[in-house]
Amino acid sequence: MSQVQARFFTENKKYLIDDVPFSIPAASEVTDLSGVINKLLEAKNDGHKHVEFDFLVQGQFLRTSLASRMETENISTEEVVEIEYVEKFTAPQPEECVMHDDWISSVEADSEWILTGSYDKTARIWSMEGKAVMTVAGHTDVNLYNGLSSLLLTASLDQTIMLWEWNSERNKVKARHCCRGHAGSVDTVAVDPTRTKFCSGSWDKMLKIWSAVPTEEEDEIEEPNRPRKKQKTEQMGLTRTPLMTFSGHNEAVSSVLWMDAEELCSASWDHTIRLWDAETGGQKNTITGSKVFNCISYSPLCRRLASGSTDRHVRLWDPRSKDGSLVLLSLTSHNGWVTAVRWSPSHEHQLVSGSLDNVVKLWDTRSCKAPLYDLAAHEDKVMCVDWTENGLILSGGADNKLYTYRYSACVLDAGA
Amino acid sequence: MWCGNIRRRSAGCQQRGFWPSFLEASVKNAHTISSQSPISPSPPQSEQEVDKISLLVFITFSVRSQDIRNTVGNIPMEWYKDYPHIGYDLDGKKIFKPIRNKDELDEFLDKMENPDYWRTVQDKMTGADIRLSDEQVDLVHRLQQGKFGDVNFNEYEPAIDFFSNEVMIHPVTNRPQDKRSFIPSLIEKEKVGKLVHAIKMGWIKPRRPKETTPQYYDLWAKEDPNSILGRHKMHVPAPKMKLPGHQESYNPPPEYLLSEEERLAWEQQDPEDRKLSFLPQKFACLRAVPAYSRFIHERFERCLDLYLCPRQRKMRVNVNPEDLIPKLPKPKDLQPFPTTQSLVYRGHSSLVRSISVSPSGQWLVSGSDDCTVRFWEVSTARCLKTVEVGGAVKGVAWNPNPSICLVAVSYDDTVVLLNPGLGDRLVCTATDQLISSYEEPEEVMDQSVQWAVAEGEGHEQGHRLILKHPKAVRQVTWHGKGDYLACVMPDNGSSLQVVIHQVSKRRTQNPFRKNKGLVQCVSFHPIRPYFFVATQRYVRVYNLIKQELTKKLMANCKWISSMAIHPGGDNVICGSYDCRLAWFDLDLSTKPYKVLRHHKKALRSVAYHRHYPLFASGSDDGSVIVCHGMVYNDLLQNPLIVPVKVLKGHTITHDLGVLDVTFHPTQPWVFSSGADGTVRLFT
């Protein structure tokens, strides 16, 4: 088996070559194949510059030699092998390293601002260049999660969620509402796509849906026999009570997200991921895993759920499937608990995960054995990751540092 | 005597003193015969007798001729030795001894000169010398030779048999036959009648018929000729000998002969290592081959081989060692259990003696020798709070009641109840209210433990109640409801070793009046009102309501270090300093149901999981061993114990490894605290 008949194709019009089978040595690897494609392209148009390519055989990235791959996949050597080639993803470029005073528990970014929550009981707003813009201090305890532009949400171990209004021109933050109702630390919040509601998950096993619209006079009924509390609420904004409470989990809720405007998804320590109807509060589906779920992420592009749990694996689930305990794919390379996962907002195959082994990994689901890139900048546990629309990867951890990476390849590839 | 005397005399040794005895005897015979002869002058006497008599008659006659007849009778004549006479004659007169004045010289002269000296004898009866005649001398000679005295007596006359085997024509007696020989015997008739009667009556039984079966039988008569016999099965064929080759030949080809060096090497080798057992030799002809020098030796060895040869084929037991291992499920099938180290809680600067997890499973408290108590977030290993206390912390225990937020911390002789302020805010404030709402009872009881409310800075830190004990407190443990708190103060000499506090009433009681040994640890039964007290060798189970000893468990170990009660309440595990872990089934026996010896060093701590069938033990060898311990509801089924995982991670510091282990309340995770100042989470 020295020669293999192969036909190369790509979806990128820029690098199109003739649709004829080539005979290539079976022992050739990615660099050899890349050389072949570059030679062909050079022969076709003179102005071609050298480009590194990656190759997919039957939808999986080629990482070993072609021969061994065909052997493991049981591909007949008699037939013509269809090989897809894409431009190789360039490594994410580290941009900023932002120091915090304490561990970073959560991070969220949009195209302009970065919002981080920290264990020093504050949330901070940073510009993209890493300048501290605003410090939001108000929680009496460790600070956790956050939300949308101009309106900020912070959830805390002190069992409250605060809704802040931030005026970026005047750079002032005002606490609008203090959402009370949880009987345990609030571990996760998520804003629905319409930005009128948000959902929170807590250690008290409950999911609560709150209104995200700030109102002036909406001071909800407070029990009259607690004058001290009353005083506090006046300082910290108007008290708000939940619109709806979903109970069903047997253990703490670790992560919650909106799949669309009507559907909620929550992951819990009771080894389940549950799908809820946000309107009626009914459970639609349950995915049962074998370990505690730390985090979930949903990609509308590929309609898959990615979960990180208290073992080494990132698992992909199909939320629509009825037999909800089937793992589609598990990505195994971490050495510690996976504490954070985030799908790429623009690429249907890519996701990023952070783990207790201090490493952030960039994955492509077409290569489940090994990640595309390891981002090993953290010196301690990675607690949170985020991926913005404009191709910025952020990760924060127990070493008090927030790292940002520019990942350009996905932007280029997005059109494909 | 008779012959010997005469022979002596004939040999020439003539001692005269002997003669009288001879004569005396002969005289006596003469007397008896002479006295007989007149009574029975029976003519058919043998000639010998006749001859003897004639001799004696002659002698007596010769004496009588002198008419000296002694009448003393047949007495020893020595009696007259000292007398001048020798007896008495018929007239009653003394017979005087003849005057013998012969001295030795005369005697000698007489012997020399008298030719008849040798035939002269002295008559003792008379003391006179008598010269024996020729006939008498002849007679003496014949008697000396053992012949009959009579010359004419033929001792070899032909014998005539009167009663011989030959039937004679004429009867020996002439007597006619008796009449009774012609008529039948009456006695016999009577005897026969008796026998016939006995037979008729059945007293005599007819003789038993003879046994026809032979005494000896053929052992192999019934043997199946087709069956394979045991003897044949046991047949061990002799090993096949190699046929002799050229080397064994008396005239081998020269290449088989050893060279000088080879021969030396051969001689130096051990007999067992030699390739050849002999030296090939060359002889010109078969006649020149000498006798085999080692013949006897070899024969002896051969006999020895035969003698020592095993006569029985050894049945080798083919047991697969795998089969001897008891069938246990594979650890893989017993998931979930902790397998890897996930988080390390760093912060303590000295050894962490005790850890405890909050009932919700969100927080972890650890007490260390660096005089601090730290509160951690379980999922991130974040230290949320550090509380300083006044001494090395020996024990921490989180109140198991989820509606109370209290942590008992023991250091030195003090137990502090801390409110960490973690978890539900309402619960924390409710707990504070509960403590502050306490009202002093009217009558103050005299208690061995002083209760005090923390104030000032301590209160800021979370201290709520301070309990001062008379002695150093080693262990604190809560009752499942969260109101009672037991403290252990090990002391060999006092009965105050265990105290039970009631937090809501701030009361202290000492449940035991007697000291039954150094108390190591205590524990409440999770469901029933029982109280477990582990001393060095025993675990005593007390019924708190009846206030009596219910059970005494014998741990079979030297020094119990720790104890844990199964959440079901029927099983207890004990760790000991001699590396053992004993599992007791309280329903089964007071002896351990199983003893596990997996640790290499002393066990420091054991723990059960609240829901999962897991238990763990931490040891000085730095490892935590997790075992699957399934307890079945079916009382007939014994618990299944399978060691599933050895968890390593702690470094051994000052010969101490793991000091405490505890399970997460809901997840199959185990925490361990070590002498290296870390707490580790294994998942």
Side-chain angles (χ1 to χ4, degrees):
Chain A
M1 197 176 101
S2 57
Q3 296 284 316
V4 174
Q5 295 278 309
R7 180 186 286 124
F8 295 97
F9 67 99
T10 183
E11 290 178 2
N12 197 339
K13 300 280 185 293
K14 214 168 105 186
Y15 303 122
L16 218 55
I17 56 166
D18 297 337
D19 190 15
V20 286
F22 295 95
S23 182
I24 50 170
S28 57
E29 293 188 11
V30 175
T31 47
D32 307 327
L33 292 175
S34 187
V36 169
I37 299 293
N38 275 307
K39 285 262 176 61
L40 290 169
L41 287 171
E42 271 173 37
K44 203 174 165 192
N45 46 351
D46 298 333
H48 176 73
K49 280 181 192 166
H50 188 83
V51 180
E52 286 291 321
F53 288 101
D54 247 343
F55 297 86
L56 294 111
V57 179
Q58 292 193 340
Q60 292 285 308
F61 274 107
L62 189 64
R63 290 284 177 251
T64 55
S65 75
L66 194 57
S68 64
R69 178 55 177 276
M70 288 172 73
E71 206 167 311
T72 53
E73 295 275 319
N74 267 335
I75 303 170
S76 166
T77 54
E78 306 291 317
E79 295 167 12
V80 176
V81 188
E82 302 279 335
I83 300 177
E84 186 182 358
Y85 59 96
V86 292
E87 200 179 338
K88 195 167 187 170
F89 303 116
T90 54
Q93 298 302 313
E95 284 211 330
E96 300 292 335
C97 172
V98 185
M99 285 300 292
H100 283 62
D101 295 339
D102 211 332
W103 293 13
I104 301 163
S105 61
S106 63
V107 63
E108 178 138 339
D110 62 3
S111 48
E112 275 182 275
W113 311 104
I114 303 168
L115 182 60
T116 60
S118 164
Y119 270 88
D120 61 357
K121 306 178 185 178
T122 60
R124 286 189 179 82
I125 303 169
W126 311 81
S127 71
M128 275 298 156
E129 290 76 39
K131 278 187 196 148
V133 177
M134 188 66 216
T135 301
V136 184
H139 278 295
T140 53
D141 221 323
V142 181
N143 201 317
L144 269 179
Y145 225 85
N146 38 52
L148 39 163
S149 67
S150 79
L151 284 173
L152 312 176
L153 279 170
T154 59
S156 161
L157 289 183
D158 64 2
Q159 308 171 10
T160 59
I161 305 154
M162 301 281 271
L163 178 63
W164 311 81
E165 194 173 27
W166 176 49
N167 193 327
S168 54
E169 279 86 43
R170 288 191 291 163
N171 201 8
K172 278 206 174 151
V173 162
K174 190 185 172 201
R176 294 299 299 268
H177 289 283
C178 180
C179 307
R180 297 169 189 278
H182 276 300
S185 59
V186 185
D187 296 335
T188 173
V189 288
V191 182
D192 87 321
T194 60
R195 302 197 165 228
T196 55
K197 287 185 285 188
F198 67 91
C199 178
S200 66
S202 159
W203 190 270
D204 64 1
K205 310 168 191 176
M206 299 293 178
L207 288 170
K208 285 181 196 286
I209 294 182
W210 318 72
S211 165
V213 183
T215 47
E216 281 307 322
E217 299 302 325
E218 203 177 351
D219 191 356
E220 296 282 331
I221 306 120
E222 184 73 20
E223 287 165 50
N225 56 352
R226 287 189 183 174
R228 253 173 57 225
K229 279 255 161 130
K230 195 102 177 174
Q231 207 174 1
K232 209 171 193 176
T233 56
E234 279 164 14
Q235 291 172 359
M236 300 305 297
L238 306 167
T239 299
R240 177 164 280 186
T241 50
L243 299 176
M244 214 184 262
T245 301
F246 299 164
S247 64
H249 279 297
N250 302 322
E251 292 284 332
V253 179
S254 58
S255 183
V256 65
L257 57 85
W258 293 84
M259 298 181 57
D260 53 43
E262 282 90 41
E263 204 172 13
L264 265 171
C265 180
S266 66
S268 161
W269 279 44
D270 63 0
H271 305 185
T272 58
I273 296 172
R274 288 172 203 249
L275 301 179
W276 310 82
D277 191 316
E279 298 295 325
T280 64
Q283 269 186 52
K284 292 169 85 178
N285 201 358
T286 305
I287 296 171
T288 310
S290 62
K291 293 275 157 54
V292 166
F293 287 110
N294 280 326
C295 51
I296 47 171
S297 177
Y298 177 71
S299 167
L301 296 174
C302 65
R303 297 168 186 277
R304 294 282 181 272
L305 271 174
S307 74
S309 52
T310 56
D311 54 6
R312 307 178 292 125
H313 312 291
V314 176
R315 292 191 177 84
L316 302 189
W317 312 83
D318 186 355
R320 303 272 176 255
S321 74
K322 287 295 158 198
D323 46 343
S325 47
L326 202 70
V327 181
L328 294 175
L329 199 64
S330 59
L331 310 173
T332 308
S333 169
H334 280 298
N335 288 324
W337 290 5
V338 180
T339 50
V341 289
R342 189 57 63 101
W343 281 98
S344 165
S346 53
H347 196 290
E348 61 171 324
H349 291 304
Q350 291 185 343
L351 71 150
V352 69
S353 69
S355 158
L356 290 185
D357 61 359
N358 311 352
V359 183
V360 176
K361 288 181 194 257
L362 180 64
W363 296 90
D364 193 300
T365 53
R366 295 169 293 187
S367 140
C368 58
K369 297 278 190 301
L372 287 180
Y373 291 104
D374 283 356
L375 312 176
H378 282 287
E379 290 148 12
D380 207 339
K381 300 179 274 285
V382 179
M383 314 279 288
C384 52
V385 292
D386 195 17
W387 195 330
T388 65
E389 297 272 350
N390 52 5
L392 199 68
I393 297 172
L394 303 103
S395 70
D399 56 353
N400 308 349
K401 286 172 187 158
L402 176 78
Y403 285 96
T404 60
Y405 303 90
R406 176 67 59 187
Y407 186 53
S408 53
C410 56
V411 179
L412 291 174
D413 209 37
Chain B
M1 192 67 190
W2 172 257
C3 297
N5 283 342
I6 290 167
R7 201 180 289 139
R8 216 172 280 163
R9 189 190 172 298
S10 66
C13 172
Q14 290 146 349
Q15 285 174 323
R16 290 187 90 190
F18 284 106
W19 276 103
S21 67
F22 165 68
L23 280 180
E24 181 189 274
S26 27
V27 167
K28 183 186 81 180
N29 280 352
H31 271 287
T32 55
I33 290 166
S34 61
S35 61
Q36 260 179 0
S37 49
I39 294 167
S40 58
S42 54
Q45 292 280 337
S46 69
E47 273 182 59
Q48 180 191 2
E49 220 163 316
V50 172
D51 185 62
K52 217 187 267 173
I53 289 165
S54 64
L55 166 67
L56 293 173
V57 166
F58 166 73
I59 292 171
T60 47
F61 178 73
S62 63
V63 171
R64 202 176 286 160
S65 62
Q66 294 170 6
D67 199 22
I68 320 162
R69 197 174 299 181
N70 202 342
T71 57
V72 286
N74 190 14
I75 56 157
M77 294 314 292
E78 285 94 311
W79 293 353
Y80 289 96
K81 206 169 70 180
D82 298 331
Y83 294 99
H85 62 283
I86 203 165
Y88 304 91
D89 61 5
L90 291 172
D91 299 330
K93 291 190 179 151
K94 284 177 182 172
I95 301 168
F96 288 92
K97 289 175 185 170
I99 300 148
R100 302 183 72 91
N101 47 5
K102 280 182 185 174
D103 54 0
E104 289 289 317
L105 186 63
D106 291 336
E107 188 81 8
F108 179 72
L109 288 174
D110 193 18
K111 191 178 174 182
M112 287 291 127
E113 289 167 4
N114 189 1
D116 294 332
Y117 177 77
W118 61 274
R119 54 162 77 177
T120 307
V121 293
Q122 192 187 22
D123 186 356
K124 273 191 181 169
M125 294 292 273
T126 58
D129 285 347
I130 301 162
R131 183 180 167 273
L132 296 179
S133 63
D134 282 347
E135 290 82 22
Q136 287 172 327
V137 170
D138 259 359
L139 177 64
V140 168
H141 275 247
R142 272 211 303 281
L143 289 175
Q144 277 179 335
Q145 286 164 2
K147 291 177 181 169
F148 288 95
D150 189 0
V151 185
N152 302 317
F153 179 69
N154 182 12
E155 57 208 281
Y156 299 115
E157 269 184 10
I160 300 160
D161 280 344
F162 282 96
F163 301 99
S164 69
N165 55 344
E166 287 169 19
V167 178
M168 298 188 185
I169 318 167
H170 303 289
V172 178
T173 63
N174 206 12
R175 197 172 168 219
Q177 277 189 314
D178 288 327
K179 185 189 174 185
R180 65 173 179 268
S181 61
F182 300 105
I183 54 171
S185 163
L186 277 176
I187 300 166
E188 280 183 8
K189 188 187 171 189
E190 193 183 354
K191 233 174 216 178
V192 169
K194 275 184 180 171
L195 285 172
V196 169
H197 178 69
I199 288 170
K200 278 184 181 167
M201 295 302 285
W203 298 335
I204 295 178
K205 283 189 179 138
R207 200 168 283 164
R208 221 182 286 160
K210 259 190 187 172
E211 296 252 339
T212 49
T213 49
Q215 195 178 357
Y216 308 104
Y217 66 97
D218 185 2
L219 181 63
W220 293 284
K222 286 180 184 169
E223 203 166 7
D224 182 9
N226 296 325
S227 71
I228 301 166
L229 298 174
R231 282 176 298 138
H232 294 162
K233 270 193 286 185
M234 292 305 292
H235 174 69
V236 183
K240 211 164 199 179
M241 301 292 283
K242 216 181 93 185
L243 290 173
H246 288 300
Q247 276 172 328
E248 282 87 349
S249 166
Y250 76 96
N251 188 9
E255 62 264 29
Y256 287 100
L257 292 170
L258 297 184
S259 68
E260 192 64 24
E261 296 151 19
E262 284 172 331
R263 199 178 60 78
L264 278 174
W266 184 88
E267 276 167 0
Q268 278 172 1
Q269 263 182 329
D270 266 349
E272 284 157 12
D273 299 339
R274 283 170 188 168
K275 211 171 178 185
L276 279 177
S277 58
F278 61 94
L279 273 176
Q281 277 172 301
K282 192 182 181 94
F283 299 99
C285 57
L286 199 54
R287 261 184 301 125
V289 177
Y292 184 43
S293 57
R294 287 174 50 82
F295 179 76
I296 294 293
H297 191 88
E298 200 157 84
R299 205 36 76 87
F300 168 74
E301 283 186 341
R302 191 172 163 72
C303 290
L304 208 60
D305 282 352
L306 284 172
Y307 166 61
L308 294 173
C309 165
R311 294 300 152 88
Q312 241 180 347
R313 182 177 284 180
K314 258 192 191 162
M315 294 305 288
R316 189 168 290 167
V317 186
N318 284 322
V319 178
N320 193 0
E322 304 264 317
D323 296 344
L324 296 175
I325 301 170
K327 288 251 179 295
L328 286 177
K330 281 178 189 161
K332 207 169 63 185
D333 306 333
L334 302 174
Q335 295 268 17
F337 55 84
T339 51
T340 49
Q341 177 185 306
S342 296
L343 282 170
V344 183
Y345 304 78
R346 290 179 205 278
H348 281 296
S349 59
S350 184
L351 37 102
V352 185
R353 284 206 188 267
S354 179
I355 49 175
S356 180
V357 189
S358 75
S360 67
Q362 197 177 6
W363 320 107
L364 171 75
V365 63
S366 64
S368 162
D369 269 10
D370 61 3
C371 306
T372 58
V373 176
R374 279 174 186 263
F375 294 90
W376 310 85
E377 191 177 34
V378 166
S379 57
T380 56
R382 164 85 189 182
C383 178
L384 292 165
K385 207 167 188 179
T386 306
V387 178
E388 290 198 6
V389 294
V393 180
K394 291 282 189 287
V396 291
W398 205 297
N399 193 321
N401 189 345
S403 61
I404 298 174
C405 186
L406 271 183
V407 176
V409 177
S410 74
Y411 62 91
D412 295 341
D413 59 349
T414 312
V415 172
V416 173
L417 299 184
L418 289 173
N419 185 351
L422 296 168
D424 195 347
R425 198 144 288 248
L426 289 172
V427 171
C428 293
T429 49
T431 306
D432 280 350
Q433 274 178 1
L434 189 79
I435 286 171
S436 57
S437 66
Y438 169 75
E439 288 171 12
E440 284 278 328
E442 282 91 44
E443 46 181 310
V444 179
M445 288 201 297
D446 191 23
Q447 293 191 135
S448 55
V449 175
Q450 294 170 348
W451 294 69
V453 179
E455 284 163 353
E457 195 186 337
H459 192 272
E460 292 290 306
Q461 277 200 319
H463 294 220
R464 291 295 179 266
L465 285 173
I466 298 165
L467 288 76
K468 284 278 181 194
H469 289 72
K471 278 172 287 192
V473 180
R474 192 174 122 169
Q475 189 213 354
V476 284
T477 182
W478 287 95
H479 182 253
K481 295 257 169 59
D483 195 19
Y484 290 95
L485 174 72
C487 298
V488 178
M489 298 173 281
D491 183 1
N492 230 342
S494 148
S495 64
L496 187 70
Q497 291 198 84
V498 181
V499 287
I500 298 179
H501 308 294
Q502 190 176 6
V503 175
S504 60
K505 293 186 179 165
R506 298 198 192 170
R507 260 194 355 203
T508 301
Q509 43 187 322
N510 175 18
F512 303 113
R513 225 168 283 134
K514 269 189 207 159
N515 177 9
K516 295 233 172 128
L518 200 62
V519 176
Q520 299 302 309
C521 52
V522 296
S523 183
F524 287 99
H525 193 284
I527 310 158
R528 286 191 282 273
Y530 291 136
F531 191 57
F532 294 78
V533 178
T535 53
Q536 274 183 30
R537 291 185 179 227
Y538 306 106
V539 177
R540 291 182 173 84
V541 186
Y542 295 94
N543 189 329
L544 288 175
I545 288 178
K546 289 183 185 168
Q547 301 198 332
E548 63 180 19
L549 179 69
T550 311
K551 231 167 224 175
K552 183 176 165 190
L553 308 177
M554 263 127 342
N556 272 352
C557 57
K558 284 178 188 145
W559 197 310
I560 294 173
S561 64
S562 51
M563 173 178 61
I565 320 290
H566 190 268
D570 285 339
N571 294 278
V572 176
I573 48 174
C574 278
S576 75
Y577 288 116
D578 53 353
C579 320
R580 295 181 210 205
L581 189 148
W583 175 297
F584 295 96
D585 193 328
L586 294 184
D587 295 335
L588 210 63
S589 155
T590 56
K591 301 231 166 58
Y593 161 64
K594 213 161 223 188
V595 176
L596 309 177
R597 262 184 263 183
H598 299 305
H599 282 293
K600 303 219 169 36
K601 284 190 178 171
L603 270 80
R604 289 274 167 188
S605 177
V606 290
Y608 270 112
H609 197 282
R610 206 182 285 173
H611 303 304
Y612 289 96
L614 291 174
F615 64 94
S617 58
S619 156
D620 278 350
D621 58 9
S623 66
V624 176
I625 292 183
V626 179
C627 298
H628 178 90
M630 188 66 172
V631 176
Y632 298 97
N633 285 330
D634 181 9
L635 285 175
L636 293 174
Q637 210 165 356
N638 283 332
L640 171 76
I641 299 171
V642 187
V644 287
K645 189 73 188 172
V646 180
L647 300 169
K648 288 184 178 164
H650 286 284
T651 50
I652 294 167
T653 325
H654 302 118
D655 281 340
L656 292 174
V658 179
L659 293 175
D660 198 5
V661 290
T662 185
F663 276 100
H664 192 275
T666 53
Q667 304 296 335
W669 299 347
V670 65
F671 298 92
S672 68
S673 74
D676 53 355
T678 61
V679 180
R680 283 161 203 264
L681 168 64
F682 299 94
T683 61

